[in-house]
Amino acid sequence: MPDFLRHLWQKWFKPKEELVSFAEVFEHFQALLQDHQKIMELIADLGEKSGGDYIFDRKYLIDTVNDLHALLLRLVKSLNLISGNRYVELYAALDRILLPLEAELRGRLSLTETMPYVIGFKDAPLDLPELVGGKAEALMEIHRRLQAPVPEGFIVTTRAYRRFLEYNRLDDRIHTWLESWTSGEVEAMQASRQIQYALLAGVMPPEVGREVRREAQVRPFWAVRSSAAGEDSELSFAGLHETFLQVPALGVVEVVKKVWASLYSPRALDYRRRVGLLAEEAAMAVLCQEVVASRASGVVHSLDLEAPESDCLIIYACRGLGRTVMEGKADLDRFVVERHPPFRIRTQSMAKKKSYRRVSAGGGEEEVAAPPEEWERPALELQEVQALARWAVVLERYFKRPQETEWAVDDAGRIWILQSRRLASPTAVKAPDICETCASYPILIKDLGAVAHAGVGAGPVFVVSSDQDLDRFPDGAVLVTRYTAPWLAPAVPKAAAIVAEQGSPAGHLSTIAREFRVPTLVGVENAVALLPQDQEITVDTYNRSIYLGRVSELLRYELIQSAAFEDAPEFRLLRRILKRIAPLNLTDPQDAGFTPEGCRSVHDVIRFVHEKAVEELMDLPRFLKRFKEARLWTLASEVPIGLKIWDLGGGISPEARGGQVSIEEVRSQPLKSLWEGITQPGVWSTEPVPVDFKGLMASLTRTLGEGLAAPAYTGINLAVVTENYLNLHLKLGYHYNLIDVRLEDDPNRNHIYFRFVGGVTDLTRRSRRARLLADILSRFHFKVDIKGDLVLARVLHLPREEMHRRLVAMGQLIGLTRQLDMQLKSDEDVAQFFETFVKRLEPAAGGTSPS
Amino acid sequence: MAPKIIVIDDEPIVCQMSKRVLEQEGYQVETYVDSREALERIKTTPFDVVITDLKMENISGMDILKEVNQRYPGTRVIMLTAYATLDTAIEALRERIYDFFPKPVKIEELKKAVKRALETR
């Protein structure tokens, strides 16, 4: 659009910001925070119900989704009222997320016209099992979330399957045959043959065939596998559908049809009828993967179901390709391995492996005779056994069920995960008497905290206090922490359990813990002191007990016994809808994808809205231009910054008269706490700091407002307050400081946002100061982001007293760093100042900093 | 003899889950998704504890409650409902209900309620 047109457009159609008063904007902000909190609670609620700890029905799911819908609409509306309609695209994001969710509740697969026929692994979405099928979904999840080694490839989606049916007008015919079968008119065999014949004779739609060939041509051969809706992820369709190895690139299209046809084999039909899936629309995606030239292959059962009390897993292995393993045609090596590091082998038995299968050079497979001296040599080396055992345990921990995992080892000794599904128990496993067993273990903690995700987990204690600890977090450890800060998220998938001193079941970390199904207790007082580093413990959230040692009986009971509920359609539905609700993809506000278009879940939307609402409120100068009606008080204080206070209700004593108030007349608790820090003796140095020549020149030549995201100069220091709320805008020297605080009895509502930018002197020095501020704030458990010399920090959901301490510390920090950059001449200075400040601030922060 | 429990709810999931959980506790459990069938069963067979949904087609939880109280004064009734209002709670209490749970129900709570109900008979 030409510039003059854009100006006209903006002049005529710009939202009328002035229509909303300042007080109203703050009201909307408060309402927005409350709705945000309610949505977090609903998400937590849904998550909690998915843990098998509750009896619920479909009505509960429908009601909750309806509530979410209404709250989200209000939330987005509030943000647009606050921001002058700058985020109307969020309505489209809501549609994109909620419509498929509601379709899911109505029991329909929701494929839209824009979804692809064929999709590469790296582009495959994690949240659309109906598009990629269960097996591919599970593989993509473990590939991305657990970094499992999965052979590369692409997926022919269920949309391609539907297009194929439509193109060949097969829908009604299939339906008719199925009805004749279920009504008893024809045998399964006959219905199956008719449907399969129709599918195999169908013509691949040109647009689908083109895309399949384009992806297939990059390799000469492919392994082509089924990925039906529900397969592997929730229901085990083990061995029901077809797999083809070593398919030449040109043959992939025809083989895809064969895999589709296997959806209607007599066994597959019978299975779907038994599990009550026949009425649902069947659909199949097809997984095409690089062929692993296996030196050895097989399956691993993460638990020996015949002897669960032995706490062992079993690896079955053969030489060469693994097809013979699943088909039960080969004699197999069998390794019985302990389920915990260092994964010792208990027993092993070697089969006489006289021959093996391998891929043949021209495509297909061939059988090769093995030399007699190799017959009884193990198919796997010790370290391969251990690596496989580790993967089996990691996958079981992620899926929370005993797993049957198909694997391969290539010539270079690399392990590949081919698929993983639930290990079905052949017979009902007798649960041990848990009460009696547990009583013999010492209890470290009992009846403390709240359950964020129900379950049992065991491992060595690993206390995380800083980002650095995260990098060292070992697989399968119990994460013990003081705070449930969002930056802990990367450790969650690796954790066997989580114990936090602070936080609530509705917080971000709890939500993430549920996403990865990690048993989590929050609000466990003194956990860090009570749980010694490296000590093996067992966390049982059902009884809110933490035992010393590894209570294997309890872990096993949990793994086997709780498997019962998870098959119910309501649980599967809940987990499916949670995938559209709970995952948090927008974690970094600085990221280019942090936009309404980037929102892929309900959690993303509320994260985005929250961030932007705070940003709007932080931008006070823009607000001041919008609202001119305010009555301002001036704070009389020995700290001479002429702070103006705007009271929106309850922030100033009703007895206050005239234009001035003393700090005693201020009722706003966050402002009082902060002021307590600023006015501590020695904090507010008014002596001018000597400016060296370089610094002086920079201050003379630098244009105001050129800094990153620096707000325009307003000339006043302003605090907008209520009794529990503070929005403070300070301009001290050339630094801009914005602080937004909510301080209440309910920790879930509390936050401190901190933003610092600008400052006389050159960019290197300013960056040094930014680094210093970030170091100090991180030490007080703020989540800190730096961009140039802009520092953004926040801390959420701490109890009143903890918030108070941090505000006092922040007040000190503001005073002390006022002209700091002038003095930070070298990076060594930064380190030295850091020590000085931390020492000084420590008493105020009450010893909560990590050591 | 293991105590006998009947669970009545038109949502199959509620019946299935209650059955599994309570059988694990050692009770003998029958479940009905059709409240009319359940009522017929109750007329001929006494149970120690009745767990019923409030709002069901044909025969409501209140009808079940009245029938049970009339026939078997010693039987405890636990009501589950997604529509907990004060009015229904008061009416149910008037009809000598043992316990009242809004859905979703925490399994631990239900187990405890059944145990208490059996102990106080």
Side-chain angles (χ1 to χ4, degrees), chain A residues 143-154:
Chain A
H143 185 38
R144 301 237 195 105
R145 295 224 163 105
L146 308 176
Q147 275 79 49
V150 170
E152 269 302 322
F154 63 94

Side-chain angles (χ1 to χ4, degrees), chain A residues 347-363:
Chain A
T347 61
Q348 53 182 28
S349 57
M350 297 308 131
K352 268 206 179 96
K353 302 174 285 291
K354 293 183 183 172
S355 67
Y356 59 95
R357 294 187 79 79
R358 68 177 181 200
V359 293
S360 64

Side-chain angles (χ1 to χ4, degrees), chain A residues 12 20 245 499 523 533 616 689:
Chain A
W12 290 340
V20 186
L245 295 177
V499 183
Q533 181 83 4
E616 287 292 327
V689 176

Side-chain angles (χ1 to χ4, degrees), chain A residues 637-663:
Chain A
S637 165
E638 72 269 29
V639 173
I641 60 168
L643 183 70
K644 304 282 186 202
I645 303 176
W646 185 350
D647 180 24
L648 295 176
I652 299 284
S653 158
E655 278 86 53
R657 293 288 174 270
Q660 287 220 333
V661 286
S662 65
I663 192 68

Side-chain angles (χ1 to χ4, degrees), chain A residues 620-639:
Chain A
L620 264 184
R622 198 171 139 256
F623 265 59
L624 289 177
K625 268 189 232 146
R626 280 167 66 181
F627 308 105
K628 300 188 178 72
E629 80 270 33
R631 171 183 177 189
L632 300 181
W633 302 85
T634 303
L635 181 66
S637 165
E638 72 269 29
V639 173

Side-chain angles (χ1 to χ4, degrees), chain A residues 437-743:
Chain A
T437 312
C438 293
S440 63
Y441 288 82
I443 290 182
L444 295 172
I445 290 175
K446 175 86 183 145
D447 292 335
L448 284 182
V451 180
H453 186 68
V456 178
V461 171
F462 191 92
V463 179
V464 174
S465 311
S466 69
D467 286 24
Q468 287 85 350
D469 295 339
L470 278 187
D471 301 334
R472 297 187 291 117
F473 190 86
D475 235 358
V478 177
L479 195 169
V480 177
T481 172
R482 286 208 166 87
Y483 303 98
T484 55
W487 57 262
L488 290 164
V492 173
K494 293 200 266 178
I498 299 171
V499 183
E501 289 188 359
Q502 307 277 348
S504 80
H508 282 286
L509 189 78
S510 299
T511 309
I512 295 165
R514 273 191 291 276
E515 197 189 316
F516 290 97
R517 301 157 90 178
V518 179
T520 299
L521 278 175
V522 293
V524 180
E525 278 169 43
N526 253 337
V528 173
L530 292 171
L531 303 173
Q533 181 83 4
D534 298 327
Q535 175 65 57
E536 188 95 13
I537 60 168
T538 301
V539 179
D540 171 10
T541 69
Y542 294 113
N543 294 306
R544 287 190 301 153
S545 301
I546 299 178
Y547 299 95
L548 183 68
R550 193 182 168 82
V551 189
S552 306
E553 301 85 345
L554 182 61
L555 290 163
R556 205 163 52 241
Y557 173 79
E558 174 59 17
L559 199 62
I560 301 167
Q561 165 263 346
S562 61
F565 301 127
E566 314 249 335
D567 277 339
E570 283 78 1
F571 274 90
R572 285 191 274 132
L573 178 62
L574 172 54
R575 283 198 296 277
R576 280 207 303 278
I577 68 170
L578 269 174
K579 285 193 178 175
R580 301 183 184 279
I581 292 175
L584 180 62
N585 309 295
L586 299 190
T587 49
D588 181 8
Q590 310 290 333
D591 192 273
F594 199 90
T595 58
E597 292 73 30
C599 293
R600 287 189 280 143
S601 68
V602 170
H603 202 160
D604 284 342
V605 172
I606 65 169
R607 173 80 179 83
F608 180 86
V609 169
H610 192 254
E611 187 71 30
K612 291 301 167 190
V614 170
E615 221 170 73
E616 287 292 327
L617 274 259
M618 289 282 205
D619 194 2
L620 264 184
R622 198 171 139 256
F623 265 59
L624 289 177
K625 268 189 232 146
R626 280 167 66 181
F627 308 105
K628 300 188 178 72
E629 80 270 33
R631 171 183 177 189
L632 300 181
W633 302 85
T634 303
L635 181 66
S637 165
E638 72 269 29
V639 173
I641 60 168
L643 183 70
K644 304 282 186 202
I645 303 176
W646 185 350
D647 180 24
L648 295 176
I652 299 284
S653 158
E655 278 86 53
R657 293 288 174 270
Q660 287 220 333
V661 286
S662 65
I663 192 68
E664 289 73 32
E665 288 172 301
V666 171
R667 292 280 165 82
S668 173
Q669 196 48 52
L671 179 56
K672 283 173 94 78
S673 301
L674 196 80
W675 210 252
E676 192 181 321
I678 291 183
T679 53
Q680 269 180 15
V683 167
W684 197 266
S685 165
T686 51
E687 292 157 29
V689 176
V691 178
D692 67 10
F693 182 71
K694 200 174 164 210
L696 185 64
M697 286 310 290
S699 73
L700 291 174
T701 52
R702 184 165 172 263
T703 318
L704 284 176
E706 69 171 14
L708 272 169
Y713 177 64
T714 60
I716 61 163
N717 293 315
L718 176 70
V720 179
V721 297
T722 72
E723 197 180 346
N724 308 314
Y725 176 75
L726 165 68
N727 181 285
L728 179 66
H729 176 226
L730 289 178
K731 187 180 165 300
L732 304 171
Y734 292 94
H735 312 158
Y736 303 93
N737 212 195
L738 297 157
I739 298 167
D740 194 275
V741 187
R742 191 176 176 98
L743 181 58

